[in-house]
């Protein structure tokens, strides 16, 4: 058998996914011709695909030393380097491949992936578009392109390549889900539902698809079906909700008369605050309630009517009969948009803390007609944050309204911006907050809170304080898609973002409303 014939056999094994057989033949070739560049490179690809990344990359580099002219050698190397996170090396290899073969479509795919990882969005889109021209039958290339458009906020443009990916490979559940994601972000909820249901049909055991469908149904107001589907979130790692197992059953909605239920909070602070309203309801039904929460919420949650005990997350709970994730309770209690329990306030900060913050805020108020707390950014760890947060400087039209004393309730990295930007025009409060009880006490001492959709807005609503909230174009499902009020918080007014790429109209709307409020005083 000649070397060429052996190469053909090895390549056929590799293409068919028989990596062990391919490796055996490539090594046999290298035993005879140790510097055979093709055998070195393709063996490197085989090893890299099996998890032996560094050895695979070493062989690919060796093949390039043996024959630096062959474009595919550089293309394969760039793909392997992407998988190890070496984006600089991957870009160099991809560009070397394109230099040698300008029509190398996979090299363009690799280069675009590097550019996207480095947040060079426009470059990544242009490069992936070129890859699609070179590889018009590759569904994955169109899927990448569509996701890049969507990820850069160009949602309408994302639909064409995402649809093309589905046309090329209608049996891919992922491509239907990607298309559903863009429809969802555009609030085309019926279209999104159709695509997610198709993804579920193709891959019924994928919990992420059920969770995505749930969010569509919930946002559409179909809460009975949506909350049932939303239970799938407990199996989705990105939801930050680890399944619990205590040797005790999870509550199934059956009567709790005299039984002890252990409720554990999940997801973000805002979710815990919003759904903690169910603790008094369960207590009124005869349940003994133990509530677990993150440490920052412990003191404030002590004020929940009927709560038996509040413990820190990770602490071993006392004896209980059943347990439940907090966000599962609305399903078992049959919550719908017409039956939201809104007995507000259901949280109350400590009176001593209220007195403390009232003195501080009062001393800074001057002759202002209104004392307003402001929050412009959410937690940077949330995948939702890019949609909901606003740059402080973009709020200039609002901050320019006369007759207001502004108080920063912002925490985290964004809080550092208030001093330099406002040059002393805003009173910084959050630097002295120990937990959410301090946040609530400070809000109790203000006239109004204006906030993006983050935990502080939930605190204001839960204690019954007036709060104006900026709602992003793609809202958190409890806010639904229309309306300026919400059944969850009677004292909350919603200001919705009409254009997903601009907050300007909503900011102007809030500034006008604020001027009208001041004129009425």
């Amino acid at each position: 058998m000649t070397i060429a014939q052996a190469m053909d056999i090895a390549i056929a094994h590799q293409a068919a996914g028989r990596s062990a057989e391919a490796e055996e033949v490539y090594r046999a070739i290298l035993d005879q011709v140790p510097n055979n560049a093709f055998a070195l490179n393709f063996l490197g690809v085989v090893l890299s695909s099996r998890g032996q990344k560094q050895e695979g990359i070493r062989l690919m580099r060796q093949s390039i030393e043996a024959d630096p002219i062959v474009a595919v050698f550089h293309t394969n190397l760039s793909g392997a380097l992407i998988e190890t996170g070496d984006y600089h090396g991957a870009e160099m290899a991809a560009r070397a491949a394109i230099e040698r073969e300008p029509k190398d479509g996979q090299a363009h795919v690799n280069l675009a992936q590097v550019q996207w990882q480095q947040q060079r969005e426009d470059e990544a889109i242009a490069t992936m578009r070129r890859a699609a021209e070179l590889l018009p039958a590759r569904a994955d290339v169109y899927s990448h392109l569509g996701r890049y458009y969507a990820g850069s906020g160009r949602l309408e443009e994302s639909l064409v390549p995402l649809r093309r990916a589905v046309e090329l490979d209608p049996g891919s559940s992922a491509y239907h889900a990607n298309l559903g994601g863009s429809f969802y972000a555009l609030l085309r909820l019926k279209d999104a539902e159709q695509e997610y249901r198709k993804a579920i049909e193709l891959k019924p055991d994928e919990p992420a698809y059920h969770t995505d469908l749930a969010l569509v149904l919930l946002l559409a107001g179909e809460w009975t079906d949506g909350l049932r589907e939303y239970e799938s979130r407990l199996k989705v790692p990105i939801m930050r909700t680890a399944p619990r197992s205590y040797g005790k059953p999870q509550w199934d909605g059956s009567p709790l008369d005299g039984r002890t239920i252990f409720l554990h909070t999940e997801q973000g602070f805002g979710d815990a605050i919003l759904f903690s309203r169910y603790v008094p309801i369960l207590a009124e039904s005869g349940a003994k309630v133990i509530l677990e929460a993150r440490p920052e919420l412990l003191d404030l949650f002590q004020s929940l009517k009927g709560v038996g005990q509040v413990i820190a997350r990770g602490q071993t709970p006392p004896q209980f009969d059943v347990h439940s994730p907090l966000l599962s309770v609305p399903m078992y209690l049959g919550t719908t948009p017409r039956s939201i329990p809104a007995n507000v306030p259901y949280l109350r900060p400590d009176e001593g803390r209220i007195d403390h913050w009232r003195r501080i805020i009062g001393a800074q108020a001057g002759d202002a007609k209104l004392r307003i707390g402001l929050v412009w950014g959410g937690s940077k760890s949330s995948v939702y944050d890019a949609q909901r947060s606003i740059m402080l400087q973009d709020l200039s039209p609002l901050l320019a309204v006369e007759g207001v004393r502004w108080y920063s309730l912002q925490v985290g990295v964004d809080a550092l911006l208030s001093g330099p930007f406002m040059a002393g025009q805003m009173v910084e409060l959050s630097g002295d907050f120990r937990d959410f009880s301090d946040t609530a006490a400070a809000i109790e001492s203000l006239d109004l809170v204006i906030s993006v959709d983050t935990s502080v807005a939930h605190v204001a609503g839960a204690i019954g304080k007036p709060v104006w909230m900026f709602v992003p174009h793609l809202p958190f499902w409890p806010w639904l898609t229309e309306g300026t009020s919400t059944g969850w918080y009677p004292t909350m007014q919603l200001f919705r973002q009409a254009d997903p790429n601009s907050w300007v109209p909503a900011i102007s709307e809030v500034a006008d409303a604020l001027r009208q409020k001041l004129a009425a005083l």
Side-chain angles (χ1 to χ4, degrees):
M1 181 186 302
T2 67
I3 295 296
Q5 290 171 328
M7 282 294 303
D8 289 341
I9 292 172
I11 291 170
H13 282 313
Q14 188 173 357
R18 298 187 293 269
S19 61
E21 290 87 342
E23 178 183 357
E24 183 179 356
V25 179
Y26 285 135
R27 290 195 183 280
I29 293 170
L30 291 171
D31 285 340
Q32 296 183 50
V33 188
N35 216 29
N36 185 298
F38 282 91
L40 287 168
N41 193 275
F42 296 167
L43 176 58
V45 172
V46 168
L47 296 180
S48 180
S49 68
R50 292 216 308 254
Q52 297 172 254
K53 303 294 184 185
Q54 295 307 319
E55 176 61 11
I57 288 171
R58 185 189 70 79
L59 290 171
M60 284 184 252
R61 291 192 187 281
Q62 188 177 339
S63 75
I64 290 171
E65 290 176 4
D67 189 347
I69 302 302
V70 181
V72 71
F73 294 172
H74 298 272
T75 302
N76 290 341
L77 176 61
S78 70
L81 291 172
I82 287 172
E83 293 177 357
T84 66
D86 181 359
Y87 299 126
H88 175 70
E91 178 169 358
M92 291 179 63
R95 290 193 182 280
I98 294 169
E99 179 181 347
R100 288 158 176 78
E101 177 46 76
K103 293 185 178 181
D104 185 333
Q106 186 59 50
H108 283 82
V109 171
N110 295 350
L111 177 58
Q113 289 178 325
V114 168
Q115 291 166 333
W116 184 257
Q117 289 293 335
Q118 295 179 334
Q119 299 180 336
R120 295 151 57 187
E121 295 179 358
D122 291 342
E123 292 179 63
I125 288 172
T127 305
M128 195 62 79
R129 286 180 62 181
R130 177 57 178 156
E133 293 172 359
L134 295 168
L135 301 168
R138 284 267 298 272
D140 63 315
V141 177
Y142 286 98
S143 178
H144 281 306
L145 179 58
R147 290 190 298 108
Y148 289 177
Y149 275 127
S152 60
R154 297 161 67 175
L155 293 167
E156 288 287 354
E157 291 176 87
S158 76
L159 296 178
V160 172
L162 290 177
R163 280 190 173 117
R164 183 59 181 154
V166 168
E167 290 170 359
L168 288 168
D169 188 358
S172 168
S173 60
Y175 297 158
H176 285 282
N178 290 340
L179 180 55
S182 281
F183 281 136
Y184 173 58
L186 287 165
L187 299 183
R188 293 175 55 174
L189 300 184
K190 287 299 182 183
D191 292 326
E193 179 182 350
Q194 178 179 320
E195 293 303 325
Y196 285 131
R197 289 195 184 281
K198 183 62 178 178
I200 291 169
E201 178 185 326
L202 291 166
K203 195 174 182 180
D205 295 331
E206 175 50 64
Y209 298 158
H210 289 274
T211 302
D212 290 337
L213 174 61
L215 293 173
V216 170
L217 296 172
L218 290 168
L219 192 54
E222 300 175 31
W223 288 3
T224 300
D225 292 338
L227 288 170
R228 184 173 59 251
E229 287 282 358
Y230 199 46
E231 288 298 285
S232 60
R233 76 191 183 281
L234 302 173
K235 300 177 182 178
V236 180
I238 198 173
M239 299 298 288
R240 296 185 297 168
T241 303
R244 302 295 188 96
S245 177
Y246 301 97
K248 295 291 181 70
Q250 184 169 326
W251 183 47
D252 60 3
S254 58
L256 287 167
D257 295 335
R259 291 195 291 169
T260 299
I261 184 169
F262 174 46
L263 297 176
H264 29 95
T265 58
E266 48 181 309
Q267 300 183 37
F269 289 118
D271 304 89
I273 295 164
L274 176 66
F275 294 106
S276 67
R277 70 184 63 222
Y278 286 95
V279 169
I281 297 172
L282 293 177
E284 289 171 6
S285 74
K288 299 175 183 178
V289 181
I290 302 168
L291 178 63
E292 178 202 66
R294 291 160 71 178
E296 296 91 333
L297 288 167
L298 296 181
D299 188 77
L300 185 59
F301 278 179
Q302 295 286 353
S303 66
L304 284 165
K305 184 179 179 181
V307 70
Q309 188 173 352
V310 183
I311 66 172
R313 181 176 291 180
Q315 181 180 340
T316 301
Q319 289 296 312
F320 60 87
D321 300 300
V322 293
H323 71 94
S324 176
L326 186 58
L327 272 65
S328 294
V329 176
M331 177 187 68
Y332 289 120
L333 295 187
T335 302
T336 71
R338 295 184 178 181
S339 65
I340 297 170
N343 187 13
V344 173
Y346 56 88
L347 293 175
R348 176 72 179 173
D350 176 76
E351 290 293 338
R353 296 208 202 190
I354 293 175
D355 291 340
H356 168 76
W357 285 106
R358 186 172 287 138
R359 288 192 297 271
I360 293 175
I361 289 171
Q364 300 284 349
D367 58 356
K369 292 183 179 181
L370 287 176
R371 297 172 296 184
I372 302 178
L374 184 67
V375 181
W376 58 92
S379 170
K380 300 308 176 189
S381 64
S382 171
V383 296
Y384 186 56
D385 190 61
Q387 301 171 50
R388 65 181 175 178
S389 292
I390 303 175
M391 297 294 291
L392 180 57
Q393 53 265 39
D394 291 341
L395 293 173
S396 296
L398 177 62
L399 300 172
V401 175
E402 296 183 0
V404 175
R405 186 57 165 163
W406 295 97
Y407 297 83
S408 172
L409 303 175
Q410 183 67 51
V411 298
V413 175
D414 286 327
L416 303 175
L417 301 175
S418 61
F421 181 75
M422 293 302 295
Q425 298 304 306
M426 182 184 292
V427 179
E428 177 66 52
L429 297 180
S430 59
D432 294 322
F433 289 170
R434 291 172 291 172
D435 55 25
F436 277 99
S437 191
D438 274 322
T439 306
I443 291 172
E444 189 68 48
S445 307
L446 298 170
D447 300 305
L448 173 68
V449 171
I450 298 177
S451 174
V452 298
D453 184 1
T454 190
S455 55
V456 176
H458 288 278
V459 172
I463 68 174
K465 204 70 179 177
V467 52
W468 294 357
M469 189 172 72
F470 289 102
V471 178
H473 181 263
L474 178 60
F476 182 32
W477 66 262
W479 316 138
L480 303 175
T481 59
E482 297 178 341
T484 59
S485 62
T486 171
W488 295 97
Y489 297 121
T491 61
M492 178 178 282
Q493 185 171 347
L494 307 179
F495 293 83
R496 296 183 182 272
Q497 182 188 34
D499 178 351
N501 296 310
S502 175
W503 281 105
V504 171
I507 293 169
S508 297
E509 186 181 355
V510 172
D512 289 343
L514 185 54
R515 280 188 283 266
Q516 293 174 17
K517 184 177 180 68
L518 285 162
L521 295 177

